[in-house]
């Protein structure tokens, strides 16, 4: 598994004139050699995995220049790989255990699909020779299990086809819209002969249609009060600076699309207008007064509850630039260009400057969150305001605290693209392992994992991986002893005020003790006066559990 072909002794050449010395022969590669060689060539030298028996042959003779990152549960493995791939911009390689392992991982495979994260997910399969007998641990119809939440799925027909399948999987995962792919590999394939994958290069982005971009540009030039709505694909494409320039040129207010997983516009910029909720009527209300709405790198629009009426305000024209033609296909009205977001925005910037417009009024500044009264718990708003004041503003936040997200959007502004990661899916169990992957991709930088108490219990095993890797992660657990998002959402589905919502109370959880059991130091804060100093200490590399910095946890008791 070194990527260099082993030297096998095939004997002396049996031909007239053969020399007495051993003949020089072409070295024989195995599937393992060819796969590792290809992975090395495309820059994938970290493997995120949880091992099983059918995967063991993959890792024999593990190469010294590769890194194996162990997760204690398969959903954790995929979450770590997702965070790493989002920050590096390159596909991550994930190895899972046959059917049961893939099943455990499906929640975060779904999230990776919604996040448009390029992952090559491999899973072991029983040896080909015993598959006809339905053996223990075999995956029946292995390629069907992860569908429809992978872009492509295959179990190669022959062992020698595995390296080419991996190469094809990489190209598909990286092609916009990016996403996870799946390859099932029988255990006895790894030692079979295989050829080296030929040098190849596949374009990963496509330029949007120039004619459609010209129509979008003309609409923006002619309007009076434009609004931009930005989504995750802006940050994925590295287009945030271009979007800022385009917004400044058109003097457009900039909103964040509902359920957006990344920061695609600096939230302290004068043109920043706030976050749109996943409700049709509220979106129309907030966008009212704009005559052109340009949605960049996001669906138009993501909804969470039923709605009625128009999708945009009366008199407004909708246009869209998105990396996913499948999303453009269901945009309810207007015009849409599909292709790489950065290339599209740069083409719009190449147009002549539009007519001068007045600068819109800045967004109102929220009042400061007040500390709690004596005997009361602090609010999420106060906790997040304090975190914003003591943290490095250029640091990365990985978030999964759904009920506290409105407070976070108000009191913990993200000042730059690339500094915020969450999930587009709404599935829980993502942020804690994703923070591990982010920290691996940004060595030396302290990462904040901001997680709710309920969310954290889906993948708290990620703390163990962070400890073993000595990663500088500060896990901030907002503990309100409940699934607050569900309780807050219950009235939408007809619950009466103060009616009990079954299955939403979470009592008796001690996150400091849980962290300590995995080797991570922690502190619990219920006194608002102690919060700033506790967070400041936890965010210091010197405060961690190793000389090089490591993880620490702060459990914040909130109302």
């Amino acid at each position: 598994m070194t990527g260099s072909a082993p030297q096998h002794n095939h004997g002396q050449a049996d031909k007239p004139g053969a020399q007495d010395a051993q003949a020089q022969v072409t070295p024989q590669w195995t599937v393992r050699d060819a796969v590792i060689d290809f992975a090395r060539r495309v820059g994938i030298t970290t493997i995120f995995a949880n091992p099983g028996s059918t995967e063991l042959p993959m890792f024999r003779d593990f190469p010294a220049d590769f890194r194996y990152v162990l997760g204690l549960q398969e959903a954790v493995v995929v979450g770590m790989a997702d965070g790493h791939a989002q920050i590096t911009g390159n596909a991550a390689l994930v190895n899972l255990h046959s059917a049961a392992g893939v099943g455990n991982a499906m929640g975060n495979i779904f999230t990776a699909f919604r996040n448009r994260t390029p992952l090559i997910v491999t899973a072991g399969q029983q040896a080909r020779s015993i598959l006809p007998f339905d053996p223990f641990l075999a995956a029946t119809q292995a390629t069907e299990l992860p569908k429809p939440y992978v872009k492509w799925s295959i179990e190669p027909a022959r062992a020698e086809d595995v390296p080419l399948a991996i190469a094809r999987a990489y190209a598909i995962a990286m092609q916009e819209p990016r996403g996870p792919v799946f390859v099932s590999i029988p255990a006895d394939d790894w030692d079979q002969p295989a050829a080296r994958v030929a040098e190849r290069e596949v374009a990963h982005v496509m330029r949007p249609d120039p004619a459609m971009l010209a129509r979008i540009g003309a609409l923006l030039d002619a309007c009076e009060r434009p609004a931009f709505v930005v989504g995750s694909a802006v940050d994925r494409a590295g287009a945030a600076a271009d979007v800022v320039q385009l917004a400044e040129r058109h003097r457009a207010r900039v909103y964040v699309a509902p359920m957006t997983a990344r920061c695609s516009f600096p939230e302290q910029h004068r043109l920043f207008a706030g976050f749109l909720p996943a409700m049709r009527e509220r979106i129309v209300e907030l966008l009212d007064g704009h005559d052109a709405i340009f949605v960049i790198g996001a669906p138009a629009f993501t909804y969470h509850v039923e709605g009625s009426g128009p999708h945009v305000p009366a008199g407004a024209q909708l246009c869209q630039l998105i990396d996913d033609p499948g999303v453009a296909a269901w945009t309810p009205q207007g015009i849409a260009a599909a292709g790489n977001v950065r290339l599209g925005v740069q083409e719009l910037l190449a147009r002549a400057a539009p007519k001068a417009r007045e600068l819109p009024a800045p967004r109102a500044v929220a009042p400061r969150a007040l500390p709690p009264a004596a005997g009361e718990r602090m609010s999420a708003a106060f906790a997040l305001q304090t975190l914003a004041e003591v943290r490095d503003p250029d640091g990365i936040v990985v978030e999964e605290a759904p009920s506290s997200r409105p407070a976070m959007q108000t009191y913990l502004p993200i000042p730059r693209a690339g500094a915020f990661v969450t999930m587009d899916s709404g599935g829980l169990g993502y942020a804690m392992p994703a923070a591990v992957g982010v920290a691996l991709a940004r060595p030396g930088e302290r990462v904040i994992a901001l997680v709710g108490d309920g969310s954290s219990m889906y993948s708290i095993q990620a703390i163990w991986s962070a400890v073993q890797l000595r990663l500088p992660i500060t896990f901030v657990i907002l503990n309100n002893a409940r699934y607050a998002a569900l309780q807050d959402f219950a009235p939408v589905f007809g619950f009466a005020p103060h009616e009990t919502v079954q299955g939403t109370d979470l009592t008796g959880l001690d996150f400091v003790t849980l962290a300590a059991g995995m080797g991570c130091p922690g502190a619990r804060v219920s006194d608002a006066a102690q919060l700033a100093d506790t967070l400041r200490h936890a965010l210091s590399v010197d405060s961690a559990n190793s000389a090089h910095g490591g993880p620490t946890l702060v459990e914040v008791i909130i109302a």
Side-chain angles (χ1 to χ4, degrees):
M1 197 172 177
T2 61
S4 298
Q7 302 294 316
H8 299 299
N9 181 3
H10 296 289
Q12 191 171 339
D14 186 18
K15 292 182 180 180
Q19 303 297 315
D20 290 337
Q22 179 177 333
Q24 296 297 314
V25 297
T26 303
Q28 179 65 64
W29 282 54
T30 66
V31 168
R32 186 187 304 106
D33 296 321
V35 168
I36 289 298
D37 172 74
F38 175 79
R40 183 182 287 119
R41 281 152 50 195
V42 296
I44 301 177
T45 56
T46 297
I47 300 175
F48 298 90
N50 180 269
S53 57
T54 54
E55 293 76 50
L56 290 176
M58 179 182 180
F59 299 114
R60 194 172 63 248
D61 241 356
F62 195 72
D65 61 325
F66 274 58
R67 173 172 56 185
Y68 185 104
V69 179
L70 173 63
L72 298 186
Q73 202 263 7
E74 289 88 348
V76 172
V77 169
V78 175
M80 292 191 298
D82 188 307
H84 191 267
Q86 289 209 50
I87 296 300
T88 64
N90 195 20
L93 180 58
V94 178
N95 186 246
L96 305 175
H97 183 41
S98 62
V102 176
N104 286 340
M106 275 307 300
N108 273 339
I109 290 175
F110 169 68
T111 289
F113 184 79
R114 295 298 189 199
N115 283 354
R116 306 296 192 265
T117 303
L119 301 180
I120 302 170
V121 180
T122 62
Q125 172 66 295
Q126 269 289 10
R128 291 178 186 270
S129 63
I130 58 172
L131 283 177
F133 308 108
D134 196 15
F136 183 65
L137 294 179
T140 304
Q141 297 181 331
T143 59
E144 298 301 310
L145 179 55
K147 292 180 179 179
Y149 299 115
V150 291
K151 292 180 66 180
W152 184 64
S153 181
I154 191 172
E155 184 174 278
R158 306 178 302 170
E160 63 205 78
D161 297 329
V162 169
L164 287 173
I166 295 291
R168 183 176 178 184
Y170 177 76
I172 294 172
M174 291 295 290
Q175 174 67 54
E176 291 184 335
R178 295 178 172 184
V181 293
F182 180 79
V183 184
S184 173
I185 306 173
D188 55 342
D189 281 5
W190 293 101
D191 293 317
Q192 300 304 310
R196 185 177 192 261
V197 176
E199 298 293 338
R200 52 164 58 188
E201 191 170 346
V202 180
H204 297 150
V205 300
M206 297 180 65
R207 186 176 294 277
D209 176 43
M212 189 61 75
L213 286 174
R215 292 179 61 187
I216 292 173
L219 189 157
L220 293 176
D221 291 345
C223 72
E224 298 292 337
R225 298 172 303 282
F228 289 2
V229 178
V230 298
S232 299
V234 172
D235 192 26
R236 284 199 303 268
D242 299 300
V243 170
V244 169
Q245 187 178 347
L246 190 67
E248 291 173 345
R249 171 178 288 194
H250 286 283
R251 298 197 168 186
R253 282 197 174 95
V254 181
Y255 299 82
V256 175
M259 305 300 183
T260 292
R262 300 173 69 158
C263 174
S264 291
F265 196 86
E267 294 173 16
Q268 293 170 318
H269 193 284
R270 190 185 190 283
L271 292 173
F272 183 69
F275 297 83
L276 297 180
M279 303 173 67
R280 187 192 303 191
E281 293 88 349
R282 284 287 291 139
I283 290 171
V284 171
E285 180 184 339
L286 289 168
L287 295 178
D288 190 31
H290 296 288
D291 58 346
I293 299 165
F294 184 25
V295 181
I296 314 173
F301 296 95
T302 298
Y303 302 128
H304 190 194
V305 295
E306 291 181 279
S308 60
H311 295 276
V312 296
Q317 298 184 73
L318 178 67
C319 54
Q320 180 184 45
L321 172 61
I322 184 71
D323 60 356
D324 188 345
V327 171
W330 62 256
T331 299
Q333 64 189 75
I335 57 177
N340 180 261
V341 170
R342 185 177 185 184
L343 294 177
V345 173
Q346 288 177 342
E347 189 157 332
L348 292 172
L349 285 170
R351 295 172 59 89
K355 62 185 178 183
R357 298 186 181 95
E358 289 186 10
L359 197 65
R363 183 189 187 199
V365 177
R368 284 186 60 80
L370 299 176
E376 294 184 355
R377 292 183 176 183
M378 71 185 94
S379 66
F382 178 83
L384 294 169
Q385 176 180 273
T386 305
L387 178 60
E389 290 170 349
V390 302
R391 82 177 187 103
D392 176 0
D394 288 327
I396 299 175
V397 175
V398 184
E399 177 265 340
E400 189 179 306
S403 64
S404 298
R405 192 166 294 158
M408 181 198 71
Q409 292 170 345
T410 301
Y411 293 100
L412 185 65
I414 306 298
R416 64 177 180 87
F420 178 75
V421 177
T422 186
M423 72 291 188
D424 268 324
S425 67
L428 300 182
Y430 171 76
M432 294 186 84
V436 173
V438 168
L440 285 169
R442 291 283 183 86
E445 294 187 31
R446 182 156 286 273
V447 174
I448 296 173
L450 179 64
V451 189
D453 52 344
S455 299
S456 68
M457 293 306 297
Y458 284 72
S459 56
I460 201 161
Q461 306 96 321
I463 293 175
W464 182 88
S465 297
V467 170
Q468 300 304 308
L469 295 164
R470 297 185 176 182
L471 296 175
I473 302 172
T474 299
F475 295 99
V476 179
I477 310 293
L478 299 177
N479 187 350
N480 54 18
R482 63 192 182 113
Y483 287 129
L486 292 178
Q487 293 180 354
D488 296 344
F489 206 58
V492 175
F493 292 101
F495 280 73
H498 309 299
E499 182 179 352
T500 297
V501 182
Q502 299 299 321
T504 56
D505 290 329
L506 300 175
T507 58
L509 291 172
D510 183 340
F511 293 96
V512 174
T513 299
L514 288 169
M518 290 179 275
C520 177
R524 180 181 298 105
V525 184
S526 56
D527 183 352
Q530 298 176 1
L531 180 61
D533 285 343
T534 304
L535 287 172
R536 197 175 288 114
H537 180 70
L539 292 168
S540 167
V541 172
D542 294 336
S543 74
N545 66 338
S546 81
H548 303 292
T552 186
L553 179 142
V554 178
E555 179 183 359
V556 185
I557 308 300
I558 61 172

